PDB file of all heavy atoms in Angstrom:
ATOM      1  N   ARG G   1      -0.119  29.296  17.268  1.00  0.00           N
ATOM      2  CA  ARG G   1      -0.675  29.048  18.558  1.00  0.00           C
ATOM      3  C   ARG G   1      -0.776  27.625  18.969  1.00  0.00           C
ATOM      4  O   ARG G   1      -1.186  27.204  20.048  1.00  0.00           O
ATOM      5  CB  ARG G   1      -2.024  29.689  18.697  1.00  0.00           C
ATOM      6  CG  ARG G   1      -1.880  31.223  18.423  1.00  0.00           C
ATOM      7  CD  ARG G   1      -3.179  31.942  18.422  1.00  0.00           C
ATOM      8  NE  ARG G   1      -3.858  31.877  19.770  1.00  0.00           N
ATOM      9  CZ  ARG G   1      -4.974  32.551  20.047  1.00  0.00           C
ATOM     10  NH1 ARG G   1      -5.624  33.283  19.123  1.00  0.00           N
ATOM     11  NH2 ARG G   1      -5.583  32.351  21.359  1.00  0.00           N
ATOM     12  N   ASP G   2      -0.481  26.707  17.956  1.00  0.00           N
ATOM     13  CA  ASP G   2      -0.507  25.257  18.127  1.00  0.00           C
ATOM     14  C   ASP G   2      -1.876  24.694  18.734  1.00  0.00           C
ATOM     15  O   ASP G   2      -1.820  23.835  19.607  1.00  0.00           O
ATOM     16  CB  ASP G   2       0.680  24.896  19.196  1.00  0.00           C
ATOM     17  CG  ASP G   2       1.009  23.381  19.015  1.00  0.00           C
ATOM     18  OD1 ASP G   2       0.701  22.821  17.900  1.00  0.00           O
ATOM     19  OD2 ASP G   2       1.513  22.870  19.979  1.00  0.00           O
ATOM     20  N   ARG G   3      -2.940  25.212  18.159  1.00  0.00           N
ATOM     21  CA  ARG G   3      -4.344  24.723  18.457  1.00  0.00           C
ATOM     22  C   ARG G   3      -5.049  24.498  17.128  1.00  0.00           C
ATOM     23  O   ARG G   3      -5.906  25.080  16.780  1.00  0.00           O
ATOM     24  CB  ARG G   3      -5.130  25.704  19.283  1.00  0.00           C
ATOM     25  CG  ARG G   3      -4.554  25.794  20.757  1.00  0.00           C
ATOM     26  CD  ARG G   3      -5.162  27.113  21.462  1.00  0.00           C
ATOM     27  NE  ARG G   3      -6.641  27.024  21.335  1.00  0.00           N
ATOM     28  CZ  ARG G   3      -7.331  28.108  21.669  1.00  0.00           C
ATOM     29  NH1 ARG G   3      -6.808  29.297  21.947  1.00  0.00           N
ATOM     30  NH2 ARG G   3      -8.720  27.989  21.656  1.00  0.00           N
ATOM     31  N   LEU G   4      -4.549  23.396  16.467  1.00  0.00           N
ATOM     32  CA  LEU G   4      -4.842  23.128  15.023  1.00  0.00           C
ATOM     33  C   LEU G   4      -6.364  22.687  15.045  1.00  0.00           C
ATOM     34  O   LEU G   4      -6.826  21.976  15.903  1.00  0.00           O
ATOM     35  CB  LEU G   4      -4.034  22.097  14.468  1.00  0.00           C
ATOM     36  CG  LEU G   4      -4.266  21.750  12.989  1.00  0.00           C
ATOM     37  CD1 LEU G   4      -4.083  22.912  12.070  1.00  0.00           C
ATOM     38  CD2 LEU G   4      -3.585  20.493  12.508  1.00  0.00           C
ATOM     39  N   GLY G   5      -7.165  23.356  14.056  1.00  0.00           N
ATOM     40  CA  GLY G   5      -8.526  22.900  13.708  1.00  0.00           C
ATOM     41  C   GLY G   5      -8.694  22.756  12.266  1.00  0.00           C
ATOM     42  O   GLY G   5      -7.708  23.026  11.513  1.00  0.00           O
ATOM     43  N   GLU G   6      -9.785  22.283  11.890  1.00  0.00           N
ATOM     44  CA  GLU G   6     -10.023  21.874  10.435  1.00  0.00           C
ATOM     45  C   GLU G   6      -9.927  23.126   9.511  1.00  0.00           C
ATOM     46  O   GLU G   6      -9.430  22.977   8.416  1.00  0.00           O
ATOM     47  CB  GLU G   6     -11.364  21.262  10.247  1.00  0.00           C
ATOM     48  CG  GLU G   6     -12.667  22.162  10.584  1.00  0.00           C
ATOM     49  CD  GLU G   6     -13.877  21.311  10.150  1.00  0.00           C
ATOM     50  OE1 GLU G   6     -14.089  21.097   8.931  1.00  0.00           O
ATOM     51  OE2 GLU G   6     -14.710  21.048  11.075  1.00  0.00           O
ATOM     52  N   PHE G   7     -10.388  24.401   9.955  1.00  0.00           N
ATOM     53  CA  PHE G   7     -10.268  25.479   9.029  1.00  0.00           C
ATOM     54  C   PHE G   7      -8.852  25.940   8.840  1.00  0.00           C
ATOM     55  O   PHE G   7      -8.470  26.439   7.741  1.00  0.00           O
ATOM     56  CB  PHE G   7     -11.182  26.634   9.566  1.00  0.00           C
ATOM     57  CG  PHE G   7     -12.567  26.331   9.606  1.00  0.00           C
ATOM     58  CD1 PHE G   7     -13.383  26.472  10.712  1.00  0.00           C
ATOM     59  CD2 PHE G   7     -13.259  25.951   8.410  1.00  0.00           C
ATOM     60  CE1 PHE G   7     -14.741  26.091  10.763  1.00  0.00           C
ATOM     61  CE2 PHE G   7     -14.520  25.660   8.335  1.00  0.00           C
ATOM     62  CZ  PHE G   7     -15.363  25.704   9.590  1.00  0.00           C
ATOM     63  N   GLN G   8      -8.009  25.841   9.876  1.00  0.00           N
ATOM     64  CA  GLN G   8      -6.655  26.191   9.782  1.00  0.00           C
ATOM     65  C   GLN G   8      -5.984  25.185   8.787  1.00  0.00           C
ATOM     66  O   GLN G   8      -5.161  25.606   7.993  1.00  0.00           O
ATOM     67  CB  GLN G   8      -5.957  26.093  11.096  1.00  0.00           C
ATOM     68  CG  GLN G   8      -6.289  27.145  12.094  1.00  0.00           C
ATOM     69  CD  GLN G   8      -5.876  26.852  13.454  1.00  0.00           C
ATOM     70  OE1 GLN G   8      -4.582  27.004  13.798  1.00  0.00           O
ATOM     71  NE2 GLN G   8      -6.666  26.454  14.413  1.00  0.00           N
ATOM     72  N   ALA G   9      -6.248  23.909   8.908  1.00  0.00           N
ATOM     73  CA  ALA G   9      -5.734  22.918   7.954  1.00  0.00           C
ATOM     74  C   ALA G   9      -6.177  23.126   6.553  1.00  0.00           C
ATOM     75  O   ALA G   9      -5.313  22.964   5.655  1.00  0.00           O
ATOM     76  CB  ALA G   9      -6.119  21.404   8.437  1.00  0.00           C
ATOM     77  N   GLN G  10      -7.395  23.446   6.411  1.00  0.00           N
ATOM     78  CA  GLN G  10      -7.822  23.783   5.023  1.00  0.00           C
ATOM     79  C   GLN G  10      -7.183  24.916   4.458  1.00  0.00           C
ATOM     80  O   GLN G  10      -6.891  24.970   3.298  1.00  0.00           O
ATOM     81  CB  GLN G  10      -9.383  23.971   4.960  1.00  0.00           C
ATOM     82  CG  GLN G  10     -10.233  22.752   5.213  1.00  0.00           C
ATOM     83  CD  GLN G  10     -11.797  22.933   4.818  1.00  0.00           C
ATOM     84  OE1 GLN G  10     -12.069  23.369   3.812  1.00  0.00           O
ATOM     85  NE2 GLN G  10     -12.526  22.683   5.842  1.00  0.00           N
ATOM     86  N   ALA G  11      -7.006  25.981   5.274  1.00  0.00           N
ATOM     87  CA  ALA G  11      -6.315  27.132   4.907  1.00  0.00           C
ATOM     88  C   ALA G  11      -4.912  26.930   4.491  1.00  0.00           C
ATOM     89  O   ALA G  11      -4.354  27.471   3.576  1.00  0.00           O
ATOM     90  CB  ALA G  11      -6.407  28.308   6.022  1.00  0.00           C
ATOM     91  N   ALA G  12      -4.201  25.897   5.264  1.00  0.00           N
ATOM     92  CA  ALA G  12      -2.866  25.576   4.939  1.00  0.00           C
ATOM     93  C   ALA G  12      -2.743  25.019   3.465  1.00  0.00           C
ATOM     94  O   ALA G  12      -1.856  25.282   2.727  1.00  0.00           O
ATOM     95  CB  ALA G  12      -2.320  24.602   5.974  1.00  0.00           C
ATOM     96  N   VAL G  13      -3.842  24.044   3.117  1.00  0.00           N
ATOM     97  CA  VAL G  13      -3.845  23.547   1.769  1.00  0.00           C
ATOM     98  C   VAL G  13      -3.987  24.697   0.730  1.00  0.00           C
ATOM     99  O   VAL G  13      -3.228  24.755  -0.210  1.00  0.00           O
ATOM    100  CB  VAL G  13      -4.987  22.527   1.708  1.00  0.00           C
ATOM    101  CG1 VAL G  13      -5.122  22.130   0.146  1.00  0.00           C
ATOM    102  CG2 VAL G  13      -4.717  21.318   2.576  1.00  0.00           C
ATOM    103  N   ALA G  14      -4.849  25.625   1.034  1.00  0.00           N
ATOM    104  CA  ALA G  14      -5.088  26.703   0.139  1.00  0.00           C
ATOM    105  C   ALA G  14      -3.873  27.530  -0.045  1.00  0.00           C
ATOM    106  O   ALA G  14      -3.508  28.108  -1.110  1.00  0.00           O
ATOM    107  CB  ALA G  14      -6.244  27.563   0.544  1.00  0.00           C
ATOM    108  N   ALA G  15      -3.094  27.781   1.049  1.00  0.00           N
ATOM    109  CA  ALA G  15      -1.858  28.610   1.088  1.00  0.00           C
ATOM    110  C   ALA G  15      -0.742  27.957   0.201  1.00  0.00           C
ATOM    111  O   ALA G  15      -0.077  28.554  -0.563  1.00  0.00           O
ATOM    112  CB  ALA G  15      -1.387  28.797   2.495  1.00  0.00           C
ATOM    113  N   LEU G  16      -0.723  26.533   0.232  1.00  0.00           N
ATOM    114  CA  LEU G  16       0.314  25.856  -0.526  1.00  0.00           C
ATOM    115  C   LEU G  16      -0.120  26.037  -2.031  1.00  0.00           C
ATOM    116  O   LEU G  16       0.928  26.092  -2.802  1.00  0.00           O
ATOM    117  CB  LEU G  16       0.403  24.370  -0.187  1.00  0.00           C
ATOM    118  CG  LEU G  16       0.974  24.138   1.167  1.00  0.00           C
ATOM    119  CD1 LEU G  16       0.758  22.678   1.622  1.00  0.00           C
ATOM    120  CD2 LEU G  16       2.502  24.286   0.983  1.00  0.00           C
ATOM    121  N   HIS G  17      -1.291  26.019  -2.462  1.00  0.00           N
ATOM    122  CA  HIS G  17      -1.698  26.278  -3.764  1.00  0.00           C
ATOM    123  C   HIS G  17      -1.245  27.688  -4.217  1.00  0.00           C
ATOM    124  O   HIS G  17      -0.766  27.962  -5.323  1.00  0.00           O
ATOM    125  CB  HIS G  17      -3.235  26.047  -3.974  1.00  0.00           C
ATOM    126  CG  HIS G  17      -3.554  24.549  -4.037  1.00  0.00           C
ATOM    127  ND1 HIS G  17      -3.099  23.655  -4.981  1.00  0.00           N
ATOM    128  CD2 HIS G  17      -4.370  23.828  -3.307  1.00  0.00           C
ATOM    129  CE1 HIS G  17      -3.578  22.572  -4.902  1.00  0.00           C
ATOM    130  NE2 HIS G  17      -4.333  22.530  -3.810  1.00  0.00           N
ATOM    131  N   ALA G  18      -1.552  28.626  -3.331  1.00  0.00           N
ATOM    132  CA  ALA G  18      -1.358  30.111  -3.662  1.00  0.00           C
ATOM    133  C   ALA G  18       0.181  30.298  -3.710  1.00  0.00           C
ATOM    134  O   ALA G  18       0.569  31.222  -4.425  1.00  0.00           O
ATOM    135  CB  ALA G  18      -1.894  30.981  -2.536  1.00  0.00           C
ATOM    136  N   ASP G  19       0.988  29.545  -2.972  1.00  0.00           N
ATOM    137  CA  ASP G  19       2.429  29.816  -2.903  1.00  0.00           C
ATOM    138  C   ASP G  19       3.177  29.215  -4.158  1.00  0.00           C
ATOM    139  O   ASP G  19       4.230  29.683  -4.442  1.00  0.00           O
ATOM    140  CB  ASP G  19       2.980  29.049  -1.662  1.00  0.00           C
ATOM    141  CG  ASP G  19       4.423  29.469  -1.488  1.00  0.00           C
ATOM    142  OD1 ASP G  19       4.796  30.621  -1.437  1.00  0.00           O
ATOM    143  OD2 ASP G  19       5.313  28.446  -1.396  1.00  0.00           O
ATOM    144  N   ALA G  20       2.522  28.297  -4.929  1.00  0.00           N
ATOM    145  CA  ALA G  20       3.161  27.709  -6.030  1.00  0.00           C
ATOM    146  C   ALA G  20       3.171  28.668  -7.248  1.00  0.00           C
ATOM    147  O   ALA G  20       2.111  29.074  -7.669  1.00  0.00           O
ATOM    148  CB  ALA G  20       2.505  26.432  -6.406  1.00  0.00           C
ATOM    149  N   PRO G  21       4.303  29.053  -7.830  1.00  0.00           N
ATOM    150  CA  PRO G  21       4.370  29.965  -8.968  1.00  0.00           C
ATOM    151  C   PRO G  21       3.618  29.287 -10.202  1.00  0.00           C
ATOM    152  O   PRO G  21       2.958  29.970 -11.022  1.00  0.00           O
ATOM    153  CB  PRO G  21       5.766  30.032  -9.322  1.00  0.00           C
ATOM    154  CG  PRO G  21       6.533  29.725  -8.035  1.00  0.00           C
ATOM    155  CD  PRO G  21       5.652  28.674  -7.356  1.00  0.00           C
ATOM    156  N   THR G  22       3.684  28.099 -10.369  1.00  0.00           N
ATOM    157  CA  THR G  22       2.947  27.312 -11.507  1.00  0.00           C
ATOM    158  C   THR G  22       2.291  26.047 -10.835  1.00  0.00           C
ATOM    159  O   THR G  22       2.708  25.588  -9.733  1.00  0.00           O
ATOM    160  CB  THR G  22       3.820  26.840 -12.485  1.00  0.00           C
ATOM    161  OG1 THR G  22       4.730  25.834 -12.077  1.00  0.00           O
ATOM    162  CG2 THR G  22       4.646  28.045 -13.115  1.00  0.00           C
ATOM    163  N   ALA G  23       1.323  25.523 -11.561  1.00  0.00           N
ATOM    164  CA  ALA G  23       0.665  24.235 -11.151  1.00  0.00           C
ATOM    165  C   ALA G  23       1.654  23.133 -10.882  1.00  0.00           C
ATOM    166  O   ALA G  23       1.542  22.365  -9.989  1.00  0.00           O
ATOM    167  CB  ALA G  23      -0.460  23.880 -12.070  1.00  0.00           C
ATOM    168  N   GLY G  24       2.696  23.068 -11.824  1.00  0.00           N
ATOM    169  CA  GLY G  24       3.650  21.952 -11.767  1.00  0.00           C
ATOM    170  C   GLY G  24       4.544  22.082 -10.543  1.00  0.00           C
ATOM    171  O   GLY G  24       5.210  21.102 -10.188  1.00  0.00           O
ATOM    172  N   GLU G  25       4.658  23.293  -9.907  1.00  0.00           N
ATOM    173  CA  GLU G  25       5.554  23.456  -8.821  1.00  0.00           C
ATOM    174  C   GLU G  25       4.795  23.246  -7.425  1.00  0.00           C
ATOM    175  O   GLU G  25       5.300  23.597  -6.425  1.00  0.00           O
ATOM    176  CB  GLU G  25       6.066  24.788  -8.851  1.00  0.00           C
ATOM    177  CG  GLU G  25       7.113  24.991 -10.029  1.00  0.00           C
ATOM    178  CD  GLU G  25       7.619  26.404 -10.127  1.00  0.00           C
ATOM    179  OE1 GLU G  25       8.671  26.756  -9.487  1.00  0.00           O
ATOM    180  OE2 GLU G  25       7.029  27.163 -10.930  1.00  0.00           O
ATOM    181  N   THR G  26       3.542  22.883  -7.544  1.00  0.00           N
ATOM    182  CA  THR G  26       2.742  22.747  -6.178  1.00  0.00           C
ATOM    183  C   THR G  26       3.372  21.587  -5.394  1.00  0.00           C
ATOM    184  O   THR G  26       3.746  20.564  -5.877  1.00  0.00           O
ATOM    185  CB  THR G  26       1.273  22.357  -6.656  1.00  0.00           C
ATOM    186  OG1 THR G  26       0.713  23.253  -7.455  1.00  0.00           O
ATOM    187  CG2 THR G  26       0.408  22.207  -5.431  1.00  0.00           C
ATOM    188  N   ASP G  27       3.411  21.834  -4.037  1.00  0.00           N
ATOM    189  CA  ASP G  27       4.070  20.864  -3.193  1.00  0.00           C
ATOM    190  C   ASP G  27       2.878  19.851  -2.733  1.00  0.00           C
ATOM    191  O   ASP G  27       2.352  19.963  -1.617  1.00  0.00           O
ATOM    192  CB  ASP G  27       4.615  21.644  -1.975  1.00  0.00           C
ATOM    193  CG  ASP G  27       5.368  20.708  -1.078  1.00  0.00           C
ATOM    194  OD1 ASP G  27       5.299  19.516  -1.167  1.00  0.00           O
ATOM    195  OD2 ASP G  27       6.151  21.165  -0.154  1.00  0.00           O
ATOM    196  N   TRP G  28       2.682  18.896  -3.624  1.00  0.00           N
ATOM    197  CA  TRP G  28       1.598  17.936  -3.341  1.00  0.00           C
ATOM    198  C   TRP G  28       1.892  17.080  -2.117  1.00  0.00           C
ATOM    199  O   TRP G  28       0.972  16.586  -1.463  1.00  0.00           O
ATOM    200  CB  TRP G  28       1.334  17.140  -4.574  1.00  0.00           C
ATOM    201  CG  TRP G  28       0.659  17.916  -5.628  1.00  0.00           C
ATOM    202  CD1 TRP G  28       1.127  18.376  -6.857  1.00  0.00           C
ATOM    203  CD2 TRP G  28      -0.783  18.273  -5.639  1.00  0.00           C
ATOM    204  NE1 TRP G  28       0.204  19.113  -7.552  1.00  0.00           N
ATOM    205  CE2 TRP G  28      -0.951  18.969  -6.906  1.00  0.00           C
ATOM    206  CE3 TRP G  28      -1.770  18.128  -4.753  1.00  0.00           C
ATOM    207  CZ2 TRP G  28      -2.201  19.552  -7.168  1.00  0.00           C
ATOM    208  CZ3 TRP G  28      -3.049  18.665  -5.073  1.00  0.00           C
ATOM    209  CH2 TRP G  28      -3.310  19.333  -6.180  1.00  0.00           C
ATOM    210  N   VAL G  29       3.091  16.741  -1.881  1.00  0.00           N
ATOM    211  CA  VAL G  29       3.491  15.928  -0.675  1.00  0.00           C
ATOM    212  C   VAL G  29       2.989  16.616   0.531  1.00  0.00           C
ATOM    213  O   VAL G  29       2.425  15.977   1.440  1.00  0.00           O
ATOM    214  CB  VAL G  29       4.923  15.671  -0.739  1.00  0.00           C
ATOM    215  CG1 VAL G  29       5.396  14.913   0.573  1.00  0.00           C
ATOM    216  CG2 VAL G  29       5.430  14.821  -1.885  1.00  0.00           C
ATOM    217  N   GLN G  30       3.345  17.896   0.704  1.00  0.00           N
ATOM    218  CA  GLN G  30       2.824  18.596   1.987  1.00  0.00           C
ATOM    219  C   GLN G  30       1.344  18.666   1.953  1.00  0.00           C
ATOM    220  O   GLN G  30       0.719  18.639   2.974  1.00  0.00           O
ATOM    221  CB  GLN G  30       3.430  20.037   1.928  1.00  0.00           C
ATOM    222  CG  GLN G  30       4.600  20.225   2.899  1.00  0.00           C
ATOM    223  CD  GLN G  30       4.732  21.736   3.229  1.00  0.00           C
ATOM    224  OE1 GLN G  30       4.062  22.210   4.223  1.00  0.00           O
ATOM    225  NE2 GLN G  30       5.523  22.453   2.539  1.00  0.00           N
ATOM    226  N   ILE G  31       0.703  18.777   0.731  1.00  0.00           N
ATOM    227  CA  ILE G  31      -0.820  18.937   0.730  1.00  0.00           C
ATOM    228  C   ILE G  31      -1.410  17.623   1.234  1.00  0.00           C
ATOM    229  O   ILE G  31      -2.355  17.477   1.945  1.00  0.00           O
ATOM    230  CB  ILE G  31      -1.304  19.310  -0.643  1.00  0.00           C
ATOM    231  CG1 ILE G  31      -1.027  20.768  -1.039  1.00  0.00           C
ATOM    232  CG2 ILE G  31      -2.810  19.090  -0.826  1.00  0.00           C
ATOM    233  CD1 ILE G  31      -1.267  21.204  -2.362  1.00  0.00           C
ATOM    234  N   VAL G  32      -0.727  16.462   0.849  1.00  0.00           N
ATOM    235  CA  VAL G  32      -1.262  15.238   1.269  1.00  0.00           C
ATOM    236  C   VAL G  32      -1.156  15.093   2.826  1.00  0.00           C
ATOM    237  O   VAL G  32      -2.041  14.652   3.500  1.00  0.00           O
ATOM    238  CB  VAL G  32      -0.568  14.051   0.684  1.00  0.00           C
ATOM    239  CG1 VAL G  32      -0.895  12.680   1.305  1.00  0.00           C
ATOM    240  CG2 VAL G  32      -0.771  13.913  -0.867  1.00  0.00           C
TER     241      VAL G  32
END
């Protein structure tokens, strides 16, 4: 919906952690 707020951004960080099969495969660049 392109109406970004802080909870959506925090959820995006959590989703990137959840998406990584292992800790070493976490996409830290996107998280930054």
Side-chain angles (χ1 to χ4, degrees):
R1 300 178 64 176
D2 200 24
R3 290 168 54 194
L4 184 65
E6 63 173 297
F7 293 122
Q8 295 169 73
Q10 286 190 57
V13 171
L16 286 167
H17 283 298
D19 187 55
T22 66
E25 296 172 86
T26 304
D27 189 344
W28 286 106
V29 173
Q30 257 203 89
I31 288 175
V32 171

